[in-house]
Amino acid sequence: MTQCIHSSEDLSAPSHSCEDVTTPQEWSCPHEAVEGFDRCIFHLEPSIREDAGVAESDIQKAAVDLLTDSSEPSELVGARLPELEVTDSVITGNPKDKIDIRFATIDGELKFNKTRIDLPLVAKGCIINKGFDFTGATFGSKVDFYGARFKGASESIGVHFRDTVVFSRVLSSYSFRLRDSTIFEQTAVFSNLTIKGSRGTLDLRQISANGPFYCRNIDVPRLNCREAIFRGIVGMNGSHIRGDALFRDAHFHALARFGKGDRTHSKDSTEIDGHIEFTSVLADQTVGFESVKFGDDIDLSGSYFDRSVKFVLVSLNGDINLHGATFTGNIVLKPQYAASESDYCTVCASETTLSSGTLAQAGHRSSDTIRYD
């Protein structure tokens, strides 16, 4: 048997991330070629599979066997797979092993259901045509989808990530959901993630993020973090939420920065075009909205802030509801711009507990554009 000729020259990243994701300079496929052909079962073009006597089920079985057999490296770099599905299994190996699907194209779904994966999952620059489903899976090592492309909806419930998770520079055509008791034990990075269109959601409802959580420079139609628990610092500066941002009943144990702040990692201001729902939130440390452009109302009713809340150099285009909120630290509202359909913004502070703070008029006009009630 001869070795597959697929090499680094055949690898490419998705068009949206090709400038950010580099292919290896020297790499060659370690698998044996299909008899009578120059490529292995994983690198055969779909158009010649029938001539080679290879069915899609054969490829799926070979890929699963490769992942679940610890005697052989799980290397599927640049592979063309009809799907990749592992259920109710344990994927392990020696400490130097990894599941390597960099620059692979999966025509179906990437699915790890109720499976324990002890090895690192390296998926930089891969293309998944029908999204992923990791429901009930436990990842014991780093998961890296930097620069990946998801063309279908991705939804997972109850995932446990024990190590760092990277979804940076991901482009998704539909909703991207990791929710309902999903746990991030270490750093989670969603920075520069983009969801195309106007109907998708970055859905992180009821997650537990125990380490730093970064969503810098994301561009999504809607963000849902209701009932999420953030135990590490949160960074969302430079992001564009094209619709509503929902944080009802979330708990921030550490610093949460939605705007530029003192140490910025983005040259752009955060923009939230829709309504921001920050109701019944618990915040143990400072929450900063510096230089955020708000396109609609802001609702902080019923929330409890133990430290500072800062709305500095923000742009307001709706009302602010502080009804029933408690500020045991201080609140700073110093807008740069304020406008609404009635030419002024209303700040409702009925039944609100304020220890100290500054509530100012917008800096761009001499007349009062904010009414405090």
Side-chain angles (χ1 to χ4, degrees):
M1 300 289 286
T2 58
Q3 185 172 333
C4 175
I5 66 169
H6 211 76
S7 67
S8 55
E9 296 179 356
D10 300 301
L11 304 178
S12 62
S15 57
H16 81 278
S17 62
C18 60
E19 295 182 358
D20 304 296
V21 182
T22 57
T23 57
Q25 292 184 349
E26 294 184 9
W27 173 85
S28 58
C29 178
H31 305 301
E32 293 182 346
V34 175
E35 186 174 0
F37 294 83
D38 57 10
R39 299 185 189 270
C40 69
I41 191 172
F42 305 119
H43 290 119
L44 280 177
E45 290 293 330
S47 59
I48 63 174
R49 287 173 183 166
E50 184 175 352
D51 294 337
V54 175
E56 290 187 353
S57 58
D58 297 330
I59 303 171
Q60 162 68 6
K61 182 179 184 304
V64 172
D65 289 345
L66 190 68
L67 267 57
T68 55
D69 183 359
S70 59
S71 64
E72 190 173 354
S74 303
E75 189 166 326
L76 292 166
V77 178
R80 182 66 181 268
L81 307 175
E83 64 180 359
L84 183 56
E85 179 178 346
V86 182
T87 302
D88 292 315
S89 299
V90 176
I91 300 176
T92 188
N94 69 63
K96 294 184 179 180
D97 287 342
K98 59 186 176 183
I99 299 173
D100 197 343
I101 57 172
R102 288 174 296 163
F103 312 108
T105 297
I106 301 177
D107 296 321
E109 191 173 35
L110 175 62
K111 181 179 291 188
F112 293 114
N113 283 170
K114 299 179 182 178
T115 294
R116 194 188 84 201
I117 303 98
D118 294 335
L119 302 177
L121 175 58
V122 186
K124 291 182 179 179
C126 68
I127 298 174
I128 315 294
N129 285 326
K130 289 188 178 179
F132 65 75
D133 183 357
F134 300 150
T135 296
T138 297
F139 293 88
S141 298
K142 183 176 180 179
V143 174
D144 189 353
F145 280 92
Y146 185 90
R149 176 76 169 94
F150 296 93
K151 297 184 179 181
S154 299
E155 180 159 3
S156 301
I157 296 172
V159 191
H160 193 169
F161 296 100
R162 294 185 181 274
D163 207 329
T164 300
V165 181
V166 178
F167 286 104
S168 297
R169 297 201 180 278
V170 161
L171 175 61
S172 179
S173 297
Y174 296 93
S175 290
F176 201 89
R177 305 181 189 275
L178 282 164
R179 60 185 182 88
D180 293 4
S181 301
T182 290
I183 301 172
F184 300 90
E185 293 283 6
Q186 304 294 330
T187 302
V189 187
F190 291 81
S191 298
N192 297 101
L193 180 146
T194 298
I195 297 178
K196 297 174 65 177
S198 59
R199 300 180 63 182
T201 300
L202 176 56
D203 191 346
L204 303 168
R205 282 174 290 168
Q206 298 181 341
I207 66 166
S208 292
N210 298 331
F213 197 88
Y214 300 116
C215 285
R216 298 179 178 125
N217 301 297
I218 62 172
D219 185 357
V220 299
R222 193 168 183 259
L223 176 64
N224 190 344
C225 293
R226 285 174 171 167
E227 300 180 57
I229 300 173
F230 299 98
R231 292 186 172 86
I233 61 174
V234 175
M236 294 191 181
N237 42 303
S239 295
H240 186 190
I241 315 301
R242 287 173 264 134
D244 296 338
L246 311 175
F247 291 91
R248 187 190 67 212
D249 295 314
H251 190 172
F252 296 89
H253 289 261
L255 173 70
R257 190 74 76 186
F258 294 87
K260 285 186 175 182
D262 299 323
R263 298 179 59 190
T264 181
H265 291 76
S266 172
K267 64 181 180 180
D268 299 319
S269 298
T270 299
E271 297 183 32
I272 302 175
D273 296 345
H275 170 74
I276 178 166
E277 177 197 61
F278 222 75
T279 58
S280 302
V281 165
L282 294 177
D284 300 337
Q285 299 293 331
T286 296
V287 178
F289 292 97
E290 295 92 333
S291 300
V292 175
K293 297 178 181 178
F294 295 100
D296 206 333
D297 295 343
I298 303 168
D299 191 351
L300 278 67
S301 60
S303 293
Y304 184 94
F305 300 94
D306 199 40
R307 297 291 181 90
S308 298
V309 182
K310 298 179 180 180
F311 290 88
V312 178
L313 298 178
V314 297
S315 295
L316 303 177
N317 287 280
D319 299 330
I320 302 178
N321 185 9
L322 306 179
H323 175 77
T326 299
F327 301 86
T328 60
N330 70 316
I331 180 172
V332 180
L333 177 58
K334 293 183 177 180
Q336 183 178 40
Y337 177 88
S340 70
E341 293 181 357
S342 57
D343 291 329
Y344 61 86
C345 299
T346 299
V347 177
C348 174
S350 61
E351 300 182 32
T352 300
T353 302
L354 299 174
S355 295
S356 64
T358 302
L359 303 176
Q361 291 295 328
H364 78 296
R365 290 165 65 175
S366 58
S367 59
D368 292 349
T369 55
I370 302 176
R371 294 186 178 182
Y372 290 94
D373 182 6

